[in-house]
């Protein structure tokens, strides 16, 4: 299996507990646009057949060369040809996880104001880090607000891609223009939009080049 890489731009986070018909209606539009990656959030309904759902999402995205990343549940990479794993916090046994998965995959992690997480990601050659939360957010309410200074320091520590997440929308994204970053992670700004394709295009216009 050829290893996908993560590009700069828009990193979309989707909620698998959404009504499936609505989720796929939106995904049908989204995958036609330029997307760096799609992360499936670890918010599952008990009765859900997550393997079946992930395969359907993967097939749709991979046909458009968009990597699919699972949030936290790395063991699913052993069963399904997903492209990567996003950790919400430092995993206890990353080297063991790599051995168990036994193939190349994209690795990312959520960062806050602790430089030690950025250093960990660099040491273990993670592909990207995602800072959360840049602004107050309903979907990122467990994240502390990130100091812009921390993001600036990250470029001197970390050699992979840097994404910014949490509360970012079309009205405040330009406040990030002073920062050196590679892309933004978005949830409701795209998934709640009546026209996700139009919103993606507008985000692309506003992301710092």
């Amino acid at each position: 299996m050829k290893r996908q890489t993560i590009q700069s731009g828009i990193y979309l986070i989707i909620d698998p507990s959404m009504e499936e018909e609505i989720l796929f209606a939106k995904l049908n539009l989204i995958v036609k646009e330029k997307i760096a990656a799609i992360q499936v959030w670890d918010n599952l309904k008990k009765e859900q057949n997550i393997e079946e759902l992930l395969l359907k999402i993967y097939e749709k995205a991979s046909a458009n060369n968009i990597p699919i990343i699972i949030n936290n549940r790395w063991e699913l990479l052993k069963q399904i040809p997903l492209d990567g794993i996003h950790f919400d916090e430092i995993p206890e046994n990353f080297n063991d996880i790599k051995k168990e998965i036994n193939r190349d995959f994209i690795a990312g992690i959520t960062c806050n104001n602790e430089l030690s997480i950025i250093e960990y990601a660099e040491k273990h050659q993670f592909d990207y880090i995602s800072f959360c939360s840049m602004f107050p957010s309903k979907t990122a309410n467990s994240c502390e607000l990130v100091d812009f200074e921390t993001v600036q320091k990250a470029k001197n520590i970390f050699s992979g891609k840097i994404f910014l997440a949490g509360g970012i929308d079309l009205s405040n994204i330009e406040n990030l223009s002073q920062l050196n970053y590679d892309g933004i992670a978005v949830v409701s700004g795209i998934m709640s939009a009546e026209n996700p394709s139009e919103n993606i295009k507008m985000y692309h216009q506003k992301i710092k080049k």
Side-chain angles (χ1 to χ4, degrees), residues 4 30-33 35-38 61-62 64-68 83:
Q4 282 269 36
I30 287 162
V31 295
K32 293 172 186 168
E33 302 297 331
I35 296 287
I38 296 174
S62 63
N64 293 273
N65 211 30
I66 299 169
I68 290 290
D83 300 294

Side-chain angles (χ1 to χ4, degrees), residues 30-95:
I30 287 162
V31 295
K32 293 172 186 168
E33 302 297 331
K34 191 168 180 283
I35 296 287
I38 296 174
Q39 182 200 129
V40 182
W41 182 30
D42 188 12
N43 183 40
L44 311 169
K45 291 187 285 198
K46 278 183 184 171
E47 71 280 6
Q48 233 169 345
N49 183 336
I50 187 62
E51 288 88 356
E52 187 183 302
L53 179 67
L54 285 171
L55 269 174
K56 280 169 74 176
I57 294 169
Y58 174 78
E59 282 166 15
K60 194 167 284 298
S62 63
N64 293 273
N65 211 30
I66 299 169
I68 290 290
I69 293 169
I70 186 71
N71 177 212
N72 293 321
R73 296 186 51 170
W74 62 267
E75 64 281 356
L76 287 165
L77 267 73
K78 297 194 294 181
Q79 302 154 242
I80 304 167
L82 304 174
D83 300 294
I85 174 79
H86 179 89
F87 296 100
D88 287 337
E89 51 193 41
I90 290 176
E92 285 178 25
N93 52 348
F94 187 58
N95 288 333

Side-chain angles (χ1 to χ4, degrees), residues 153-180:
K153 286 176 182 172
K155 272 289 179 189
N156 297 322
I157 299 170
F158 186 66
S159 52
K161 294 273 192 293
I162 294 177
F163 288 87
L164 307 180
I168 299 168
D169 59 36
L170 290 164
S171 68
N172 62 22
I173 187 171
E174 284 165 359
N175 297 340
L176 304 172
S177 61
Q178 63 184 281
L179 299 176
N180 192 353

